[in-house]
PDB file of all heavy atoms in Angstrom:
ATOM      1  N   ALA C   1      94.522 121.909  86.880  1.00 90.00           N
ATOM      2  CA  ALA C   1      93.885 121.934  88.167  1.00 90.00           C
ATOM      3  C   ALA C   1      93.264 120.611  88.505  1.00 90.00           C
ATOM      4  O   ALA C   1      92.999 120.303  89.740  1.00 90.00           O
ATOM      5  CB  ALA C   1      92.808 123.018  88.242  1.00 90.00           C
ATOM      6  N   HIS C   2      92.938 119.782  87.558  1.00 94.00           N
ATOM      7  CA  HIS C   2      92.258 118.467  87.852  1.00 94.00           C
ATOM      8  C   HIS C   2      93.118 117.286  87.456  1.00 94.00           C
ATOM      9  O   HIS C   2      92.608 116.165  87.507  1.00 94.00           O
ATOM     10  CB  HIS C   2      90.932 118.481  86.973  1.00 94.00           C
ATOM     11  CG  HIS C   2      89.984 119.527  87.339  1.00 94.00           C
ATOM     12  ND1 HIS C   2      89.287 119.532  88.572  1.00 94.00           N
ATOM     13  CD2 HIS C   2      89.674 120.702  86.755  1.00 94.00           C
ATOM     14  CE1 HIS C   2      88.554 120.687  88.653  1.00 94.00           C
ATOM     15  NE2 HIS C   2      88.800 121.341  87.558  1.00 94.00           N
ATOM     16  N   GLN C   3      94.360 117.517  87.108  1.00 93.00           N
ATOM     17  CA  GLN C   3      95.281 116.380  86.875  1.00 93.00           C
ATOM     18  C   GLN C   3      95.675 115.721  88.240  1.00 93.00           C
ATOM     19  O   GLN C   3      96.044 116.458  89.150  1.00 93.00           O
ATOM     20  CB  GLN C   3      96.523 116.773  86.122  1.00 93.00           C
ATOM     21  CG  GLN C   3      96.246 117.329  84.708  1.00 93.00           C
ATOM     22  CD  GLN C   3      97.463 117.946  84.063  1.00 93.00           C
ATOM     23  OE1 GLN C   3      98.575 117.938  84.625  1.00 93.00           O
ATOM     24  NE2 GLN C   3      97.328 118.477  82.847  1.00 93.00           N
ATOM     25  N   GLY C   4      95.628 114.448  88.243  1.00 90.00           N
ATOM     26  CA  GLY C   4      95.983 113.756  89.515  1.00 90.00           C
ATOM     27  C   GLY C   4      95.668 112.334  89.519  1.00 90.00           C
ATOM     28  O   GLY C   4      94.901 111.803  88.630  1.00 90.00           O
ATOM     29  N   ILE C   5      96.149 111.639  90.477  1.00 94.00           N
ATOM     30  CA  ILE C   5      96.048 110.170  90.526  1.00 94.00           C
ATOM     31  C   ILE C   5      94.671 109.669  90.728  1.00 94.00           C
ATOM     32  O   ILE C   5      94.349 108.573  90.297  1.00 94.00           O
ATOM     33  CB  ILE C   5      97.033 109.670  91.662  1.00 94.00           C
ATOM     34  CG1 ILE C   5      97.266 108.158  91.526  1.00 94.00           C
ATOM     35  CG2 ILE C   5      96.474 110.035  92.981  1.00 94.00           C
ATOM     36  CD1 ILE C   5      98.339 107.668  92.463  1.00 94.00           C
ATOM     37  N   ALA C   6      93.743 110.476  91.238  1.00 94.00           N
ATOM     38  CA  ALA C   6      92.356 110.039  91.507  1.00 94.00           C
ATOM     39  C   ALA C   6      91.444 110.411  90.415  1.00 94.00           C
ATOM     40  O   ALA C   6      90.213 110.202  90.532  1.00 94.00           O
ATOM     41  CB  ALA C   6      91.888 110.645  92.853  1.00 94.00           C
ATOM     42  N   HIS C   7      91.912 110.989  89.338  1.00 96.00           N
ATOM     43  CA  HIS C   7      90.985 111.375  88.262  1.00 96.00           C
ATOM     44  C   HIS C   7      90.373 110.095  87.562  1.00 96.00           C
ATOM     45  O   HIS C   7      91.098 109.081  87.429  1.00 96.00           O
ATOM     46  CB  HIS C   7      91.757 112.187  87.191  1.00 96.00           C
ATOM     47  CG  HIS C   7      90.802 112.910  86.230  1.00 96.00           C
ATOM     48  ND1 HIS C   7      90.269 112.259  85.181  1.00 96.00           N
ATOM     49  CD2 HIS C   7      90.418 114.195  86.176  1.00 96.00           C
ATOM     50  CE1 HIS C   7      89.538 113.102  84.504  1.00 96.00           C
ATOM     51  NE2 HIS C   7      89.564 114.305  85.110  1.00 96.00           N
ATOM     52  N   PRO C   8      89.137 110.114  87.147  1.00 96.00           N
ATOM     53  CA  PRO C   8      88.490 108.942  86.473  1.00 96.00           C
ATOM     54  C   PRO C   8      89.276 108.476  85.238  1.00 96.00           C
ATOM     55  O   PRO C   8      89.308 107.290  84.956  1.00 96.00           O
ATOM     56  CB  PRO C   8      87.106 109.468  86.087  1.00 96.00           C
ATOM     57  CG  PRO C   8      86.826 110.592  87.038  1.00 96.00           C
ATOM     58  CD  PRO C   8      88.121 111.200  87.367  1.00 96.00           C
ATOM     59  N   ALA C   9      89.923 109.385  84.528  1.00 97.00           N
ATOM     60  CA  ALA C   9      90.746 108.942  83.408  1.00 97.00           C
ATOM     61  C   ALA C   9      91.857 108.024  83.851  1.00 97.00           C
ATOM     62  O   ALA C   9      92.238 107.074  83.119  1.00 97.00           O
ATOM     63  CB  ALA C   9      91.318 110.167  82.634  1.00 97.00           C
ATOM     64  N   CYS C  10      92.405 108.311  85.027  1.00 97.00           N
ATOM     65  CA  CYS C  10      93.456 107.433  85.533  1.00 97.00           C
ATOM     66  C   CYS C  10      92.942 106.056  85.918  1.00 97.00           C
ATOM     67  O   CYS C  10      93.591 105.035  85.752  1.00 97.00           O
ATOM     68  CB  CYS C  10      94.158 108.076  86.745  1.00 97.00           C
ATOM     69  SG  CYS C  10      95.048 109.619  86.377  1.00 97.00           S
ATOM     70  N   ASP C  11      91.720 106.060  86.494  1.00 97.00           N
ATOM     71  CA  ASP C  11      91.038 104.735  86.879  1.00 97.00           C
ATOM     72  C   ASP C  11      90.964 103.930  85.633  1.00 97.00           C
ATOM     73  O   ASP C  11      91.194 102.764  85.639  1.00 97.00           O
ATOM     74  CB  ASP C  11      89.677 105.021  87.470  1.00 97.00           C
ATOM     75  CG  ASP C  11      89.747 105.693  88.818  1.00 97.00           C
ATOM     76  OD1 ASP C  11      90.799 105.463  89.521  1.00 97.00           O
ATOM     77  OD2 ASP C  11      88.810 106.304  89.232  1.00 97.00           O
ATOM     78  N   PHE C  12      90.479 104.557  84.449  1.00 97.00           N
ATOM     79  CA  PHE C  12      90.383 103.772  83.223  1.00 97.00           C
ATOM     80  C   PHE C  12      91.683 103.176  82.832  1.00 97.00           C
ATOM     81  O   PHE C  12      91.791 101.996  82.442  1.00 97.00           O
ATOM     82  CB  PHE C  12      89.870 104.695  82.078  1.00 97.00           C
ATOM     83  CG  PHE C  12      89.979 104.047  80.764  1.00 97.00           C
ATOM     84  CD1 PHE C  12      88.977 103.075  80.302  1.00 97.00           C
ATOM     85  CD2 PHE C  12      90.928 104.380  79.837  1.00 97.00           C
ATOM     86  CE1 PHE C  12      89.086 102.501  79.089  1.00 97.00           C
ATOM     87  CE2 PHE C  12      91.038 103.782  78.581  1.00 97.00           C
ATOM     88  CZ  PHE C  12      90.087 102.872  78.198  1.00 97.00           C
ATOM     89  N   ALA C  13      92.767 103.976  82.826  1.00 98.00           N
ATOM     90  CA  ALA C  13      94.063 103.498  82.447  1.00 98.00           C
ATOM     91  C   ALA C  13      94.541 102.292  83.299  1.00 98.00           C
ATOM     92  O   ALA C  13      95.075 101.323  82.832  1.00 98.00           O
ATOM     93  CB  ALA C  13      95.132 104.618  82.418  1.00 98.00           C
ATOM     94  N   ARG C  14      94.398 102.513  84.641  1.00 98.00           N
ATOM     95  CA  ARG C  14      94.751 101.422  85.553  1.00 98.00           C
ATOM     96  C   ARG C  14      93.986 100.164  85.321  1.00 98.00           C
ATOM     97  O   ARG C  14      94.475  99.040  85.376  1.00 98.00           O
ATOM     98  CB  ARG C  14      94.632 101.910  86.952  1.00 98.00           C
ATOM     99  CG  ARG C  14      95.770 102.824  87.405  1.00 98.00           C
ATOM    100  CD  ARG C  14      95.742 103.118  88.956  1.00 98.00           C
ATOM    101  NE  ARG C  14      94.537 103.955  89.230  1.00 98.00           N
ATOM    102  CZ  ARG C  14      94.578 105.262  89.437  1.00 98.00           C
ATOM    103  NH1 ARG C  14      95.727 105.889  89.303  1.00 98.00           N
ATOM    104  NH2 ARG C  14      93.467 105.885  89.766  1.00 98.00           N
ATOM    105  N   HIS C  15      92.683 100.260  85.058  1.00 98.00           N
ATOM    106  CA  HIS C  15      91.837  99.078  84.770  1.00 98.00           C
ATOM    107  C   HIS C  15      92.346  98.361  83.493  1.00 98.00           C
ATOM    108  O   HIS C  15      92.373  97.190  83.541  1.00 98.00           O
ATOM    109  CB  HIS C  15      90.370  99.517  84.625  1.00 98.00           C
ATOM    110  CG  HIS C  15      89.746 100.041  85.898  1.00 98.00           C
ATOM    111  ND1 HIS C  15      88.557 100.774  85.918  1.00 98.00           N
ATOM    112  CD2 HIS C  15      90.113  99.879  87.193  1.00 98.00           C
ATOM    113  CE1 HIS C  15      88.282 101.042  87.133  1.00 98.00           C
ATOM    114  NE2 HIS C  15      89.160 100.547  87.917  1.00 98.00           N
ATOM    115  N   VAL C  16      92.711  99.142  82.507  1.00 98.00           N
ATOM    116  CA  VAL C  16      93.207  98.528  81.256  1.00 98.00           C
ATOM    117  C   VAL C  16      94.519  97.750  81.591  1.00 98.00           C
ATOM    118  O   VAL C  16      94.773  96.646  81.163  1.00 98.00           O
ATOM    119  CB  VAL C  16      93.385  99.574  80.203  1.00 98.00           C
ATOM    120  CG1 VAL C  16      94.163  98.960  78.995  1.00 98.00           C
ATOM    121  CG2 VAL C  16      92.033 100.118  79.754  1.00 98.00           C
ATOM    122  N   MET C  17      95.362  98.405  82.435  1.00 98.00           N
ATOM    123  CA  MET C  17      96.666  97.825  82.759  1.00 98.00           C
ATOM    124  C   MET C  17      96.416  96.485  83.454  1.00 98.00           C
ATOM    125  O   MET C  17      97.019  95.478  83.164  1.00 98.00           O
ATOM    126  CB  MET C  17      97.467  98.784  83.669  1.00 98.00           C
ATOM    127  CG  MET C  17      98.010  99.948  82.984  1.00 98.00           C
ATOM    128  SD  MET C  17      98.655 101.306  84.088  1.00 98.00           S
ATOM    129  CE  MET C  17     100.055 100.391  84.880  1.00 98.00           C
ATOM    130  N   GLN C  18      95.466  96.473  84.361  1.00 97.00           N
ATOM    131  CA  GLN C  18      95.161  95.262  85.132  1.00 97.00           C
ATOM    132  C   GLN C  18      94.583  94.154  84.199  1.00 97.00           C
ATOM    133  O   GLN C  18      95.080  93.007  84.268  1.00 97.00           O
ATOM    134  CB  GLN C  18      94.162  95.513  86.259  1.00 97.00           C
ATOM    135  CG  GLN C  18      94.799  96.183  87.469  1.00 97.00           C
ATOM    136  CD  GLN C  18      93.777  96.402  88.548  1.00 97.00           C
ATOM    137  OE1 GLN C  18      92.660  96.928  88.286  1.00 97.00           O
ATOM    138  NE2 GLN C  18      94.049  95.954  89.783  1.00 97.00           N
ATOM    139  N   ALA C  19      93.585  94.591  83.398  1.00 96.00           N
ATOM    140  CA  ALA C  19      92.985  93.572  82.543  1.00 96.00           C
ATOM    141  C   ALA C  19      93.964  92.967  81.541  1.00 96.00           C
ATOM    142  O   ALA C  19      93.897  91.818  81.237  1.00 96.00           O
ATOM    143  CB  ALA C  19      91.772  94.175  81.861  1.00 96.00           C
ATOM    144  N   ALA C  20      94.794  93.800  81.006  1.00 96.00           N
ATOM    145  CA  ALA C  20      95.797  93.372  79.990  1.00 96.00           C
ATOM    146  C   ALA C  20      96.913  92.544  80.560  1.00 96.00           C
ATOM    147  O   ALA C  20      97.442  91.632  79.904  1.00 96.00           O
ATOM    148  CB  ALA C  20      96.336  94.572  79.258  1.00 96.00           C
ATOM    149  N   LEU C  21      97.313  92.801  81.835  1.00 96.00           N
ATOM    150  CA  LEU C  21      98.515  92.173  82.316  1.00 96.00           C
ATOM    151  C   LEU C  21      98.347  91.279  83.556  1.00 96.00           C
ATOM    152  O   LEU C  21      99.330  90.673  84.051  1.00 96.00           O
ATOM    153  CB  LEU C  21      99.526  93.302  82.659  1.00 96.00           C
ATOM    154  CG  LEU C  21      99.910  94.195  81.498  1.00 96.00           C
ATOM    155  CD1 LEU C  21     100.853  95.340  81.931  1.00 96.00           C
ATOM    156  CD2 LEU C  21     100.599  93.419  80.350  1.00 96.00           C
ATOM    157  N   ALA C  22      97.132  91.152  84.071  1.00 93.00           N
ATOM    158  CA  ALA C  22      96.926  90.278  85.202  1.00 93.00           C
ATOM    159  C   ALA C  22      97.386  88.868  84.859  1.00 93.00           C
ATOM    160  O   ALA C  22      97.036  88.272  83.843  1.00 93.00           O
ATOM    161  CB  ALA C  22      95.470  90.306  85.594  1.00 93.00           C
ATOM    162  N   GLY C  23      98.138  88.226  85.754  1.00 89.00           N
ATOM    163  CA  GLY C  23      98.525  86.828  85.562  1.00 89.00           C
ATOM    164  C   GLY C  23      99.698  86.663  84.717  1.00 89.00           C
ATOM    165  O   GLY C  23     100.135  85.527  84.476  1.00 89.00           O
ATOM    166  N   THR C  24     100.257  87.775  84.188  1.00 92.00           N
ATOM    167  CA  THR C  24     101.413  87.641  83.236  1.00 92.00           C
ATOM    168  C   THR C  24     102.788  87.729  83.866  1.00 92.00           C
ATOM    169  O   THR C  24     103.772  87.596  83.201  1.00 92.00           O
ATOM    170  CB  THR C  24     101.344  88.754  82.176  1.00 92.00           C
ATOM    171  OG1 THR C  24     101.487  90.007  82.844  1.00 92.00           O
ATOM    172  CG2 THR C  24     100.001  88.751  81.408  1.00 92.00           C
ATOM    173  N   ALA C  25     102.821  87.924  85.160  1.00 91.00           N
ATOM    174  CA  ALA C  25     104.067  88.060  85.961  1.00 91.00           C
ATOM    175  C   ALA C  25     104.620  89.486  85.809  1.00 91.00           C
ATOM    176  O   ALA C  25     105.689  89.743  86.328  1.00 91.00           O
ATOM    177  CB  ALA C  25     105.105  87.041  85.607  1.00 91.00           C
ATOM    178  N   ILE C  26     103.939  90.325  85.094  1.00 96.00           N
ATOM    179  CA  ILE C  26     104.380  91.790  84.977  1.00 96.00           C
ATOM    180  C   ILE C  26     103.770  92.539  86.201  1.00 96.00           C
ATOM    181  O   ILE C  26     102.563  92.578  86.286  1.00 96.00           O
ATOM    182  CB  ILE C  26     103.853  92.398  83.689  1.00 96.00           C
ATOM    183  CG1 ILE C  26     104.405  91.634  82.440  1.00 96.00           C
ATOM    184  CG2 ILE C  26     104.319  93.852  83.588  1.00 96.00           C
ATOM    185  CD1 ILE C  26     105.851  91.583  82.336  1.00 96.00           C
ATOM    186  N   ARG C  27     104.603  93.076  86.963  1.00 97.00           N
ATOM    187  CA  ARG C  27     104.162  93.789  88.139  1.00 97.00           C
ATOM    188  C   ARG C  27     103.639  95.180  87.734  1.00 97.00           C
ATOM    189  O   ARG C  27     104.156  95.800  86.892  1.00 97.00           O
ATOM    190  CB  ARG C  27     105.258  93.912  89.198  1.00 97.00           C
ATOM    191  CG  ARG C  27     105.545  92.575  89.856  1.00 97.00           C
ATOM    192  CD  ARG C  27     106.787  92.643  90.711  1.00 97.00           C
ATOM    193  NE  ARG C  27     106.878  91.536  91.599  1.00 97.00           N
ATOM    194  CZ  ARG C  27     107.926  91.256  92.335  1.00 97.00           C
ATOM    195  NH1 ARG C  27     108.935  92.135  92.383  1.00 97.00           N
ATOM    196  NH2 ARG C  27     107.958  90.180  93.122  1.00 97.00           N
ATOM    197  N   LEU C  28     102.625  95.645  88.525  1.00 97.00           N
ATOM    198  CA  LEU C  28     102.010  96.913  88.298  1.00 97.00           C
ATOM    199  C   LEU C  28     102.339  97.946  89.408  1.00 97.00           C
ATOM    200  O   LEU C  28     102.379  97.478  90.590  1.00 97.00           O
ATOM    201  CB  LEU C  28     100.487  96.844  88.102  1.00 97.00           C
ATOM    202  CG  LEU C  28     100.040  95.892  86.972  1.00 97.00           C
ATOM    203  CD1 LEU C  28      98.509  95.909  86.946  1.00 97.00           C
ATOM    204  CD2 LEU C  28     100.587  96.349  85.678  1.00 97.00           C
ATOM    205  N   ALA C  29     102.538  99.159  89.087  1.00 98.00           N
ATOM    206  CA  ALA C  29     102.810 100.202  90.092  1.00 98.00           C
ATOM    207  C   ALA C  29     102.040 101.402  89.786  1.00 98.00           C
ATOM    208  O   ALA C  29     101.875 101.802  88.592  1.00 98.00           O
ATOM    209  CB  ALA C  29     104.288 100.480  90.202  1.00 98.00           C
ATOM    210  N   ASP C  30     101.436 102.102  90.788  1.00 98.00           N
ATOM    211  CA  ASP C  30     100.708 103.278  90.609  1.00 98.00           C
ATOM    212  C   ASP C  30     101.628 104.461  90.691  1.00 98.00           C
ATOM    213  O   ASP C  30     102.803 104.334  91.039  1.00 98.00           O
ATOM    214  CB  ASP C  30      99.589 103.346  91.700  1.00 98.00           C
ATOM    215  CG  ASP C  30      98.384 104.178  91.240  1.00 98.00           C
ATOM    216  OD1 ASP C  30      98.495 104.828  90.180  1.00 98.00           O
ATOM    217  OD2 ASP C  30      97.339 104.101  91.910  1.00 98.00           O
ATOM    218  N   GLY C  31     101.092 105.612  90.343  1.00 97.00           N
ATOM    219  CA  GLY C  31     101.937 106.873  90.344  1.00 97.00           C
ATOM    220  C   GLY C  31     102.000 107.577  91.628  1.00 97.00           C
ATOM    221  O   GLY C  31     101.493 107.125  92.643  1.00 97.00           O
ATOM    222  N   PRO C  32     102.612 108.739  91.670  1.00 96.00           N
ATOM    223  CA  PRO C  32     102.845 109.532  92.877  1.00 96.00           C
ATOM    224  C   PRO C  32     101.718 110.493  93.188  1.00 96.00           C
ATOM    225  O   PRO C  32     100.929 110.770  92.390  1.00 96.00           O
ATOM    226  CB  PRO C  32     104.133 110.241  92.609  1.00 96.00           C
ATOM    227  CG  PRO C  32     104.047 110.533  91.122  1.00 96.00           C
ATOM    228  CD  PRO C  32     103.299 109.333  90.487  1.00 96.00           C
ATOM    229  N   THR C  33     101.783 110.967  94.423  1.00 96.00           N
ATOM    230  CA  THR C  33     101.033 112.146  94.845  1.00 96.00           C
ATOM    231  C   THR C  33     101.920 113.373  94.744  1.00 96.00           C
ATOM    232  O   THR C  33     102.997 113.309  95.322  1.00 96.00           O
ATOM    233  CB  THR C  33     100.461 111.944  96.279  1.00 96.00           C
ATOM    234  OG1 THR C  33      99.603 110.792  96.301  1.00 96.00           O
ATOM    235  CG2 THR C  33      99.721 113.194  96.752  1.00 96.00           C
ATOM    236  N   ASN C  34     101.432 114.373  94.087  1.00 93.00           N
ATOM    237  CA  ASN C  34     102.347 115.593  93.940  1.00 93.00           C
ATOM    238  C   ASN C  34     102.153 116.690  94.847  1.00 93.00           C
ATOM    239  O   ASN C  34     102.675 117.730  94.703  1.00 93.00           O
ATOM    240  CB  ASN C  34     102.210 116.102  92.449  1.00 93.00           C
ATOM    241  CG  ASN C  34     100.862 116.678  92.125  1.00 93.00           C
ATOM    242  OD1 ASN C  34      99.919 116.570  93.000  1.00 93.00           O
ATOM    243  ND2 ASN C  34     100.674 117.419  91.061  1.00 93.00           N
ATOM    244  N   VAL C  35     101.358 116.430  95.919  1.00 95.00           N
ATOM    245  CA  VAL C  35     101.207 117.407  96.999  1.00 95.00           C
ATOM    246  C   VAL C  35     102.235 117.095  98.063  1.00 95.00           C
ATOM    247  O   VAL C  35     102.195 116.110  98.718  1.00 95.00           O
ATOM    248  CB  VAL C  35      99.753 117.342  97.681  1.00 95.00           C
ATOM    249  CG1 VAL C  35      99.651 118.338  98.740  1.00 95.00           C
ATOM    250  CG2 VAL C  35      98.716 117.597  96.567  1.00 95.00           C
ATOM    251  N   MET C  36     103.242 117.987  98.136  1.00 96.00           N
ATOM    252  CA  MET C  36     104.407 117.655  99.006  1.00 96.00           C
ATOM    253  C   MET C  36     104.143 118.047 100.469  1.00 96.00           C
ATOM    254  O   MET C  36     103.640 119.136 100.732  1.00 96.00           O
ATOM    255  CB  MET C  36     105.635 118.368  98.461  1.00 96.00           C
ATOM    256  CG  MET C  36     106.084 117.948  97.093  1.00 96.00           C
ATOM    257  SD  MET C  36     106.644 116.257  96.970  1.00 96.00           S
ATOM    258  CE  MET C  36     105.180 115.468  96.239  1.00 96.00           C
ATOM    259  N   PRO C  37     104.517 117.202 101.426  1.00 97.00           N
ATOM    260  CA  PRO C  37     104.404 117.550 102.813  1.00 97.00           C
ATOM    261  C   PRO C  37     105.494 118.457 103.338  1.00 97.00           C
ATOM    262  O   PRO C  37     106.364 118.048 104.118  1.00 97.00           O
ATOM    263  CB  PRO C  37     104.400 116.154 103.503  1.00 97.00           C
ATOM    264  CG  PRO C  37     105.219 115.325 102.572  1.00 97.00           C
ATOM    265  CD  PRO C  37     105.056 115.879 101.215  1.00 97.00           C
TER     266      PRO C  37
END
């Protein structure tokens, strides 16, 4: 019920991705929204 792209656990993972890979030429992409229109 609480899994999703805006969860604080996801913020932590994205921050680690940024800190580890910023400036390395590795591009970063976020995940999807699973609420379908």
Side-chain angles (χ1 to χ4, degrees):
H2 299 286
Q3 291 173 7
I5 196 170
H7 195 280
C10 296
D11 290 335
F12 169 78
R14 284 188 290 261
H15 292 162
V16 172
M17 290 168 64
Q18 280 182 311
L21 300 176
T24 64
I26 303 296
R27 289 173 167 172
L28 302 180
D30 210 346
T33 297
N34 66 350
V35 180
M36 297 295 102

